[in-house]
Amino acid sequence: MTLARHGAQAVAAPKFRPSELLIPTPAGLYCPLADIHIDPVRPVARALITHGHSDHARAGHGAVLATRETLAIMALRYGEGFTGERQEAAPGETTRIGEVAFRFVPAGHVLGSAQIVVEARGLRIVASGDYKRERDPTCAAFEPVPCDIFITEATFGLPVFRHPPAHAEVAKLLESVRLFPERTHIVGAYSLGKAQRVMALIREAGYDRPVYVHGAMEKLTEFYALEGARLGEIRKVVAAERKSLGGEIVICPPSATQDLWARKFPDPVTAFASGWMRVRARARQKGVELPLIVSDHADWDDLQATIREVGAGEIWVTHGEAEALVHWCGTVGLRAKPLHLVGYGDEGEAEPDATPAEVTP
Amino acid sequence: MNRFAWLLDRLAYEPRRNAKLALIADYLRTTPDPDRGLALAAMTGGLVFPNAKAGLIRTLISERTDPVLFALSYDYVGDLSETVALMWPSAEEAGHGSSLPPCGGEMERGGERPGEPSPAERSPGRPPPTPIPSPRGGGEEPYPATAEPGHNRPPLTLPDVVAGLRSVGKTELPRLVASWLDALDETGRWALLKLITGGLRIGVSARLAKTAAASFGGVPADEVEQVWHGLEPPYAELFAWLEGRGARPEATDPAPFRPVMLSHPLEDGDFDRLDPAEFVAEWKWDGIRVQAVSGTKADGTRLTRLYSRTGEDIAGAFPDLVEALTLDGALDGELLVMREGAVQSFNTLQQRLNRKTVTPKMLTEFPAHIRVYDLLVDGDEDIRHLPLDERRARLEAFLRKLDGARFDLSPTIPFASWDDLAAARADPASAGAGDDAEAVEGCMIKRRSSPYLPGRPKGHWWKWKREARLVDCVLMYAQRGHGKRSSFYSDYTFGVWRQGEEGDDLVPVGKAYFGFTDEELVEIDRYVRKHTQNRFGPVREVTHNAQSGLVFEVAFEGLQRSTRHKSGLAMRFPRINRIRWDKPPAEADRIEALEQLLPAAG
């Protein structure tokens, strides 16, 4: 492992193994020195949460430390009683728990998303949560933090995933709206983050008609607007008025595009905004006619670029296509290992049954 | 090429038949010759490039990518052309794989696209048009002054590609294909690779493409079929006729394909409405539906073709049948393998299928045979409009004139009531099928007065399949699927219990990849991921012991002895009938239950 070339000279201190600072457990990443978990998938006493997607942010912990936005999102989703105690982590500020210093740094994934920098005795590990490098008008951009060990996701950790620019994908949507002015364009997008990013991109492209949303994403969308995202006029779909929404853009959770709910619109065009749309079979499996490759995760090139940029000598891969990314690290001389953390879903598509996670060997 | 690529891309996402027809017809209407004719040829399997093979593509990509990353990607995507199209390292394209706007025509490569900012506003990787600091600290690549090498060349067209693939030799081809791949965007690369590897597999059959051409010309699909085999790509003559600019091309082909007539599955209550006296019943044979057509060419020589039910000519693999059809006519029947007068299992027949050519040894070991049930053309007379009873009489006369070894008549099943027929279906051996009973998979019920109609007309023919056999098996291994199922664990190997050396163990008895709904697939996929014991490349071993495991109720049509499988058994047409989430694996079936179902003679 590369030793710290930043900060104090504490590296000379008694041998300190990375697993003493962070270790994968069935509940999630665990820091024994501070007795906290990061993004635990089952209830724990003290949790640090990277972002509000339901597979990372679950209800029922004793205490939660997260960014102001993430805490607000959890309260919106689970109610004010989602945790016993809560504490705000201001971006960039250090919180000490025992001898461990924790720092939340923007991850560029969704509003409020953060990487968590964990540091003790001169060893620095960055748990990056989910992240992306592409520009997103609705959240703060990812900030690379030099570290000894970088913990990365690998949702799109295969060389086939190279996301095209999101604005070009949104242009495809608007072009289709222009071509089929009598049909409703139903865009499946995850309720937290993707939906609002698509709205903001639609506005940046100059579209000024109202955008309609499914009731399930109304509260989160309002929250984004309150936080300053420029989403323009947003209207909730009224069931009885669906027939009259030909030519409009409707944004709904991905599952709703397959529901009876979606069939009441005039001759709908089904679109889906997701990095998975890069693979044709994935789009066909979901019955998508207009795939929009818009992702809130780093693509293959950006995973590599980020790993290089943070300069870590060792890479831990949490979830996604870990095998390929670990292999690539090996080819460029980086130590890497998959953590096989279970319970984190695909692109916010959290597994609803939240079964107890397990760590496979 | 881009317009063609765009069409294929749209077709690949379009599930609705009518919309597919409209897309193809619109393409044919708005695309000039010879491009559209070549596209039609590509969709009907009429373009073959002997030097361009999947192996060439594999070689090209292996020279450019890490083999492990390629293998993982291919396993994930489940389609060679698409994997290579996505992975192909292309300077101009990295991070820019957008598809074309619908009305683009031939787009310039590398230039601006409508709806995108000009190159000046676009960084090569990500576009940060707002003053947010770039996330790529230090590593900014400058925007290339010229978009990519060769951007002054004229756009690649479909005729260029076809001409290149046809004329360029084996040694030169890799470089040519690589240069095309460098120049195209992701959709273009994908379409090019689909074209090269043949078999577009975009959910468009030859029949559908011809139907689209017919609808664009306002003629019945059948008419296009009639003139089709006299034509060659790029079909200028055909389009001239369809656009009313030329005469109907002469049907010079003396042995054209005629669309087959299909049946409906029999449903509960159907019998209450049907009078047995108006119907005739036959065995439903477990073979391959074929149409054998023979005719005399203008020069007096004979032309014989053997078509699959979708109109593909498979005569090349069946010279034994082709030479035996020595009379002008068109027969509809079941392709079987016969040995010493007995129909062999479908397993045996499979040795002769999916081959382009056949060895003399195979001809003797697996002699092909057609059990005929209909006559469409008698001599040069099209008799499809005649009622089935009359066609059947003509067929009997036809077969009497023909040397009988390769062709025989599919017998009818005598019955007076539907109950009689039910009894026959339950026991074909004693109801006339005799030694061939193992190759019977049910009955066909046909209206005596039915004409021979293309497609699946209502109210004429029904199929009444034998009840499937069921067995409870335990899931042992799962593999990711291909095509539509790519990235899901959708191919399942399952086993039953047997007495092992150290107590009971599971022995694999079959593999199935359908029978479940999309929702169930998602659940099984999740189960597999959570209960993985071992990984062997794309295969996962799933926990399977007496206490823990997933039980499938597997349905299958028949069982054969097999030396290729550890269990000594091979299932015919296995599929997942039900998922028994409730059933403990210890209660799954034992091998003895299956062995009882084996045909008596090994």
Side-chain angles (χ1 to χ4, degrees):
Chain A
M1 179 199 108
T2 308
L3 296 177
R5 43 181 163 17
H6 51 79
Q9 302 303 307
V11 284
K15 277 216 184 259
F16 182 48
R17 281 174 298 139
S19 60
E20 292 175 61
L21 187 54
L22 270 184
I23 187 167
T25 72
L29 279 170
Y30 178 63
C31 174
L33 288 180
D35 187 25
I36 59 96
H37 287 82
I38 295 177
D39 288 353
V41 293
R42 41 174 87 152
V44 299
R46 296 195 296 171
L48 271 56
I49 307 285
T50 59
H51 67 282
H53 277 145
S54 54
D55 48 340
H56 293 256
R58 298 178 194 241
H61 304 307
V64 168
L65 175 65
T67 62
R68 179 182 60 80
E69 295 90 341
T70 298
L71 291 171
I73 288 165
M74 292 177 78
L76 277 176
R77 295 194 131 176
Y78 304 122
E80 290 297 335
F82 70 90
T83 178
E85 291 170 50
R86 65 181 93 172
Q87 184 182 337
E88 253 178 47
E93 277 177 23
T94 298
T95 306
R96 290 203 165 271
I97 304 176
E99 62 171 305
V100 188
F102 294 93
R103 187 153 56 97
F104 283 61
V105 176
H109 178 55
V110 296
L111 182 59
S113 67
Q115 313 169 69
I116 299 175
V117 182
V118 185
E119 198 164 0
R121 302 185 202 169
L123 178 69
R124 184 189 288 170
I125 303 181
V126 172
S128 59
D130 289 339
Y131 65 95
K132 74 167 172 293
R133 307 302 302 271
E134 200 186 1
R135 180 185 161 265
D136 182 342
T138 65
C139 71
F142 180 94
E143 291 174 19
V145 179
C147 55
D148 301 297
I149 297 174
F150 185 63
I151 306 180
T152 180
E153 56 143 327
T155 304
F156 292 114
L158 281 173
V160 293
F161 291 111
R162 295 198 160 93
H163 307 325
H167 65 84
E169 297 297 294
V170 166
K172 264 166 50 179
L173 169 66
L174 297 179
E175 171 69 5
S176 179
V177 171
R178 195 185 61 73
L179 270 177
F180 303 108
E182 68 294 340
R183 304 175 68 182
T184 305
H185 282 69
I186 303 185
V187 184
Y190 303 118
S191 303
L192 169 58
K194 186 70 63 61
Q196 295 77 23
R197 182 173 170 214
V198 168
M199 292 172 204
L201 289 168
I202 286 174
R203 295 308 179 200
E204 285 188 354
Y207 182 85
D208 54 9
R209 298 188 53 78
V211 169
Y212 292 81
V213 298
H214 187 278
M217 52 179 58
E218 199 185 13
K219 275 195 293 185
L220 282 167
T221 303
E222 276 173 16
F223 177 69
Y224 262 68
L226 277 175
E227 291 289 314
R230 290 189 198 158
L231 308 180
E233 186 184 349
I234 304 295
R235 290 187 193 165
K236 187 180 145 184
V237 172
V238 177
E241 289 171 4
R242 281 174 293 186
K243 279 249 173 292
S244 65
L245 294 182
E248 306 292 354
I249 296 175
V250 173
I251 301 182
C252 66
S255 60
T257 62
Q258 310 291 331
D259 285 354
L260 196 61
W261 177 84
R263 277 178 238 149
K264 295 284 158 106
F265 295 96
D267 194 14
V269 176
T270 309
F272 185 16
S274 164
W276 298 119
M277 294 298 101
R278 179 89 270 188
V279 176
R280 286 177 174 78
R282 278 284 187 132
R284 284 200 294 269
Q285 281 156 4
K286 292 183 181 288
V288 174
E289 294 157 84
L290 182 63
L292 304 172
I293 308 161
V294 180
S295 174
D296 286 333
H297 294 267
D299 67 2
W300 177 250
D301 294 332
D302 284 345
L303 288 170
Q304 294 181 351
T306 306
I307 287 171
R308 290 198 149 115
E309 216 173 327
V310 298
E314 183 164 341
I315 309 300
W316 296 354
V317 186
T318 53
H319 60 286
E321 301 297 322
E323 207 177 339
L325 195 60
V326 167
H327 172 80
W328 173 79
C329 288
T331 63
V332 295
L334 291 172
R335 286 182 57 172
K337 65 175 183 185
L339 297 185
H340 293 305
L341 292 184
V342 175
Y344 300 105
D346 298 341
E347 180 133 328
E349 210 172 18
E351 302 195 348
D353 51 343
T355 45
E358 47 199 275
V359 176
T360 49
Chain B
M1 190 63 201
N2 280 338
R3 184 100 175 90
F4 175 64
W6 177 81
L7 172 71
L8 293 195
D9 195 45
R10 284 294 306 268
L11 287 171
Y13 290 122
E14 182 53 71
R16 295 167 297 184
R17 183 173 182 276
N18 284 342
K20 285 181 192 182
L21 286 172
L23 278 169
I24 301 171
D26 186 60
Y27 171 87
L28 297 176
R29 190 175 297 115
T30 55
T31 307
D33 290 322
D35 298 54
R36 58 181 174 179
L38 295 173
L40 185 60
M43 289 184 282
T44 52
L47 293 180
V48 180
F49 311 113
N51 291 338
K53 291 268 174 338
L56 163 78
I57 313 298
R58 287 177 187 272
T59 309
L60 286 176
I61 196 71
S62 70
E63 289 163 1
R64 286 164 176 77
T65 54
D66 178 296
V68 174
L69 294 178
F70 173 73
L72 289 167
S73 298
Y74 181 34
D75 172 40
Y76 183 90
V77 175
D79 180 296
L80 179 67
S81 303
E82 187 169 359
T83 310
V84 174
L86 288 168
M87 285 185 80
W88 189 263
S90 164
E92 138 227 18
E93 250 272 317
H96 279 283
S98 83
S99 339
L100 289 163
C103 306
E106 292 295 344
M107 300 275 305
E108 75 278 29
R109 284 163 291 124
E112 295 151 64
R113 292 181 182 135
E116 284 184 35
S118 69
E121 295 165 21
R122 199 164 68 175
S123 90
R126 301 299 121 143
T130 53
I132 291 176
S134 164
R136 294 182 187 272
E140 279 304 356
E141 309 136 39
Y143 192 83
T146 51
E148 86 279 352
H151 78 134
N152 286 328
R153 279 180 300 172
L156 189 62
T157 67
L158 184 55
D160 293 343
V161 169
V162 171
L165 290 173
R166 277 183 176 156
S167 60
V168 171
K170 246 185 181 146
T171 46
E172 281 302 298
L173 204 56
R175 220 168 51 195
L176 179 67
V177 171
S179 74
W180 288 339
L181 290 170
D182 285 338
L184 290 163
D185 71 358
E186 193 276 329
T187 311
R189 288 195 294 265
W190 171 75
L192 173 66
L193 294 169
K194 286 267 167 198
L195 191 66
I196 289 178
T197 52
L200 298 173
R201 283 184 298 157
I202 48 164
V204 174
S205 65
R207 175 77 186 157
L208 186 81
K210 290 180 211 169
T211 306
S215 82
F216 140 69
V219 302
D222 229 7
E223 290 216 21
V224 170
E225 208 70 71
Q226 299 264 342
V227 302
W228 186 260
H229 279 280
L231 303 170
E232 292 288 332
Y235 309 116
E237 214 188 330
L238 173 74
F239 287 111
W241 168 54
L242 292 173
E243 287 176 336
R245 293 182 286 109
R248 183 179 195 269
E250 214 163 304
T252 49
D253 187 354
F257 172 68
R258 288 160 181 95
V260 299
M261 178 160 172
L262 302 170
S263 60
H264 289 268
L266 194 80
E267 281 167 27
D268 289 347
D270 279 348
F271 281 139
D272 303 340
R273 294 187 291 275
L274 306 178
D275 174 4
E278 291 174 15
F279 290 85
V280 59
E282 300 161 11
W283 300 118
K284 180 166 171 28
W285 298 102
D286 189 9
I288 294 286
R289 180 89 178 265
V290 289
Q291 188 179 112
V293 191
S294 195
T296 311
K297 288 193 271 194
D299 63 4
T301 57
R302 170 159 306 285
L303 178 67
T304 301
R305 287 213 181 84
L306 193 63
Y307 294 103
S308 72
R309 58 179 255 184
T310 51
E312 278 145 89
D313 187 359
I314 54 170
F318 296 94
D320 41 353
L321 292 171
V322 167
E323 67 184 27
L325 187 52
T326 52
L327 293 172
D328 286 8
L331 300 166
D332 183 6
E334 202 81 1
L335 176 63
L336 303 164
V337 164
M338 296 268 278
R339 283 181 189 148
E340 289 156 19
V343 178
Q344 304 299 300
S345 74
F346 190 83
N347 266 358
T348 314
L349 171 61
Q350 267 180 325
Q351 308 299 317
R352 289 285 305 261
L353 301 179
N354 301 319
R355 292 172 185 276
K356 290 223 161 68
T357 55
V358 65
T359 61
K361 184 161 174 261
M362 303 206 69
L363 291 176
T364 31
E365 269 184 42
F366 306 102
H369 184 92
I370 297 181
R371 188 146 280 181
V372 191
Y373 30 74
D374 218 322
L375 185 66
L376 283 56
V377 177
D378 186 6
D380 58 3
E381 186 190 355
D382 189 332
I383 60 167
R384 285 178 289 174
H385 60 282
L386 296 180
L388 175 64
D389 272 349
E390 282 183 49
R391 294 203 306 279
R392 175 117 188 153
R394 301 273 285 255
L395 172 62
E396 286 172 19
F398 188 95
L399 289 176
R400 276 196 296 274
K401 285 184 282 177
L402 203 61
D403 174 21
R406 297 281 175 186
F407 298 87
D408 70 355
L409 187 69
S410 182
T412 53
I413 310 165
F415 68 100
S417 69
W418 296 125
D419 286 342
D420 290 353
L421 188 60
R425 170 175 166 270
D427 184 8
S430 5
D435 290 345
D436 295 343
E438 278 300 315
V440 165
E441 55 167 10
C443 306
M444 294 299 302
I445 300 166
K446 298 178 177 177
R447 193 179 288 279
R448 290 175 183 279
S449 62
S450 60
Y452 195 95
L453 300 167
R456 208 182 293 275
K458 285 207 169 100
H460 295 288
W461 292 5
W462 285 267
K463 56 185 167 195
W464 192 19
K465 288 190 126 186
R466 192 174 57 191
E467 308 282 352
R469 285 154 181 181
L470 300 176
V471 60
D472 286 336
C473 302
V474 183
L475 171 64
M476 298 175 72
Y477 303 94
Q479 186 171 356
R480 280 176 173 175
H482 277 222
K484 184 160 94 91
R485 255 78 180 271
S486 84
S487 89
F488 282 102
Y489 284 91
S490 64
D491 293 15
Y492 310 115
T493 301
F494 42 78
V496 293
W497 294 106
R498 68 164 180 195
Q499 178 69 48
E501 281 170 19
E502 294 161 27
D504 282 352
D505 59 14
L506 285 163
V507 58
V509 290
K511 199 171 167 181
Y513 42 90
F514 60 98
F516 37 83
T517 63
D518 289 353
E519 290 74 28
E520 286 170 331
L521 172 61
V522 173
E523 288 176 40
I524 306 173
D525 179 73
R526 185 175 302 155
Y527 182 91
V528 168
R529 289 169 195 272
K530 286 189 176 162
H531 295 84
T532 300
Q533 262 188 337
N534 271 308
R535 298 172 200 214
F536 312 98
V539 177
R540 288 192 183 206
E541 181 177 7
V542 185
T543 308
H544 53 269
N545 54 49
Q547 292 77 40
S548 173
L550 181 59
V551 176
F552 288 146
E553 182 181 274
V554 175
F556 59 98
E557 295 303 319
L559 209 56
Q560 291 293 321
R561 288 186 197 282
S562 160
T563 48
R564 289 197 310 177
H565 300 84
K566 207 164 149 192
S567 62
L569 303 170
M571 281 182 179
R572 163 91 175 114
F573 204 54
R575 67 264 185 198
I576 309 300
N577 199 50
R578 259 196 311 165
I579 306 163
R580 297 295 306 267
W581 299 104
D582 56 309
K583 192 156 188 162
E587 291 175 24
D589 277 306
R590 301 189 60 85
I591 190 89
E592 292 78 21
L594 284 171
E595 283 166 347
Q596 282 177 2
L597 299 173
L598 279 171

